[in-house]
């Protein structure tokens, strides 16, 4: 699986365990939808997942992801020594909540790390970028936080980290409008991020349509079809040091070749 690794830069106060780090720190999210980065509203982490901060050779930056993802990266030329991960600190998602970040392409100047309870530890980097306009899972999880003050409080999330952030219209999907995830979640009456069956259905509905028929409404590639600009968009981000390509070994392929 070929992902775009989106780099979100830590700009505010670093967690205590990273206070001595001099290098620039990034949280890195794996996505198949680089064209949706115009609509990022926050960065998701799972409070109970363990993440690591590790050294990379990319401008000596320090990145944050799961250990498993860092291991994969160590075989993809991101580390000094192939197969070796230089760990600076281990942090739970909880220790990384409410951090201030900047993210590429989005019109939000600052975004925050927030809790998402459905993140899988064994997929991507465990860091997920939130695009509530086009991802039903993201819309449901952000709505949960916006509606439920006790939920915010439990994770030390303050109002200003959540309440000002609205889904941004970035892609027109014929039949589903310019906030396709919102349309579909409302149609299926999704109640929360734990409404798994409905969210799976919602994702299927927006995914194919968004990819094949979606038209970008904003940015460099406005007016173009999503499927025609996906590659160019990733290159645009990579050239600006805002993304990389990250490969996830596929279990299926490995067992086939064995
Ligand atoms: C931005 C984005 C915008 C995403 C969108 C989706 C959508 P897939 O297709 O099933 O392989 N993701 C990445 N890692 C994790 C994880 N560890 N746990 C849970 N979710 C994760 O899923 C790839 C997508 O799943 C990624 O792309 C990421 O969210 C999320 F408009 O990033 B995406 C209809 C989906 N739309």
């Amino acid at each position: 699986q070929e992902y775009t690794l989106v780099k979100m830069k830590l700009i505010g106060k670093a967690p205590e365990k990273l206070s001595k780090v001099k290098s620039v720190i990034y949280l890195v999210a794996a996505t198949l939808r680089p064209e949706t980065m115009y609509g990022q509203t926050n960065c998701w982490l799972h409070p109970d997942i363990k993440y690591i901060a590790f050294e990379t050779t990319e401008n000596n930056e320090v990145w944050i992801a799961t250990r498993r993802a860092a291991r994969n990266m160590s075989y993809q030329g991101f580390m000094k020594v192939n197969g070796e991960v230089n760990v600076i600190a281990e942090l739970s998602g909880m220790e990384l909540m409410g951090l201030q970040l900047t993210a590429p392409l989005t019109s939000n100047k600052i975004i925050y790390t927030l809790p998402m309870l459905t993140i899988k530890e064994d997929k991507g980097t465990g860091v997920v970028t939130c695009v509530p306009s086009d991802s039903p899972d993201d819309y449901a999880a952000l709505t949960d936080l916006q509606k439920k003050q006790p939920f915010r409080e439990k994770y030390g999330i303050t109002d200003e980290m959540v309440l000002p952030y609205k889904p941004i219209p970035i892609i027109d999907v014929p039949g589903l409008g310019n906030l396709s995830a919102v349309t579909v979640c409302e149609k299926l009456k999704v109640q929360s991020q734990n409404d798994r069956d409905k969210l799976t259905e919602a994702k299927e509905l927006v995914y194919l349509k968004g990819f094949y028929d979606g038209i970008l409404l904003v940015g460099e590639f406005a007016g173009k079809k999503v499927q025609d600009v996906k590659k160019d968009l990733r290159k645009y981000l990579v050239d600006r040091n805002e993304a990389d390509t990250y490969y996830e070994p596929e279990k299926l392929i490995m067992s086939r070749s064995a």
Side-chain angles (χ1 to χ4, degrees):
Q1 191 71 278
E2 184 181 308
Y3 285 99
T4 299
L5 199 66
V6 178
K7 298 168 67 175
M8 294 180 263
K9 191 198 258 179
L10 179 66
I11 55 162
K13 195 174 176 314
E16 189 56 38
K17 283 182 185 171
L18 298 177
S19 58
K20 294 211 177 65
V21 175
K22 296 252 161 40
S23 322
V24 184
I25 301 173
Y26 287 91
L27 279 82
V28 289
T31 181
L32 302 170
R33 306 287 311 271
E35 71 280 2
T36 65
M37 296 304 100
Y38 294 104
Q40 295 175 90
T41 60
N42 58 277
C43 167
W44 297 122
L45 299 170
H46 195 300
D48 303 331
I49 288 182
K50 282 204 175 75
Y51 297 87
I52 59 169
F54 55 95
E55 291 174 3
T56 73
T57 49
E58 191 155 300
N59 312 308
N60 289 318
E61 294 160 4
V62 167
W63 290 2
I64 295 176
T66 55
R67 193 179 287 269
R68 191 196 64 91
R71 258 196 87 69
N72 286 335
M73 287 172 202
S74 77
Y75 294 102
Q76 296 173 35
F78 293 109
M79 273 63 154
K80 226 182 278 169
V81 181
N82 215 32
E84 241 173 60
V85 180
N86 269 333
V87 182
I88 292 171
E90 188 179 72
L91 304 105
S92 66
M94 191 63 209
E95 291 173 282
L96 293 163
M97 285 300 154
L99 299 179
Q100 273 192 358
L101 312 172
T102 58
L105 300 183
T106 175
S107 51
N108 287 311
K109 295 265 179 309
I110 294 173
I111 63 171
Y112 292 89
T113 50
L114 302 175
M116 183 191 234
L117 305 176
T118 58
I119 292 184
K120 297 189 193 77
E121 181 148 28
D122 60 353
K123 176 175 172 174
T125 59
V127 178
V128 177
T129 183
C130 173
V131 185
S133 53
D134 291 79
S135 163
D137 282 321
D138 293 348
Y139 178 64
L142 185 59
T143 306
D144 283 349
L145 275 172
Q146 291 184 331
K147 278 204 226 149
K148 300 164 190 164
Q149 202 276 332
F151 183 33
R152 297 201 287 280
E153 196 172 300
K154 180 170 177 194
Y155 296 103
I157 301 304
T158 60
D159 291 2
E160 78 267 15
M161 297 175 185
V162 178
L163 299 184
Y165 294 89
K166 304 263 150 27
I168 307 168
I170 54 163
I171 293 171
D172 183 53
V173 182
L176 298 176
N178 59 19
L179 295 173
S180 59
V182 180
T183 305
V184 171
C185 282
E186 283 173 357
K187 196 150 86 187
L188 298 179
K189 300 198 165 60
V190 171
Q191 297 299 322
S192 83
Q193 64 190 296
N194 299 317
D195 229 342
R196 296 319 300 163
D197 293 345
K198 282 184 183 173
L199 280 168
T200 303
E201 191 184 341
K203 189 170 165 182
E204 278 163 14
L205 280 172
V206 296
Y207 223 124
L208 280 178
K209 282 200 168 200
F211 183 82
Y212 289 107
D213 305 327
I215 296 185
L216 270 168
L217 298 171
V218 295
E220 291 279 297
F221 303 94
K224 298 255 167 68
K225 272 195 155 181
V226 165
Q227 61 171 328
D228 295 336
V229 301
K230 221 183 239 292
K231 286 242 161 67
D232 295 339
L233 231 152
R234 180 163 68 197
K235 185 176 182 307
Y236 178 81
L237 290 173
V238 170
D239 290 347
R240 293 155 53 111
N241 189 33
E242 293 177 327
D244 281 282
T245 301
Y246 166 68
Y247 297 91
E248 186 107 303
E250 261 187 272
K251 288 162 198 140
L252 196 65
I253 291 173
M254 280 160 52
S255 63
R256 258 198 226 121
S257 61

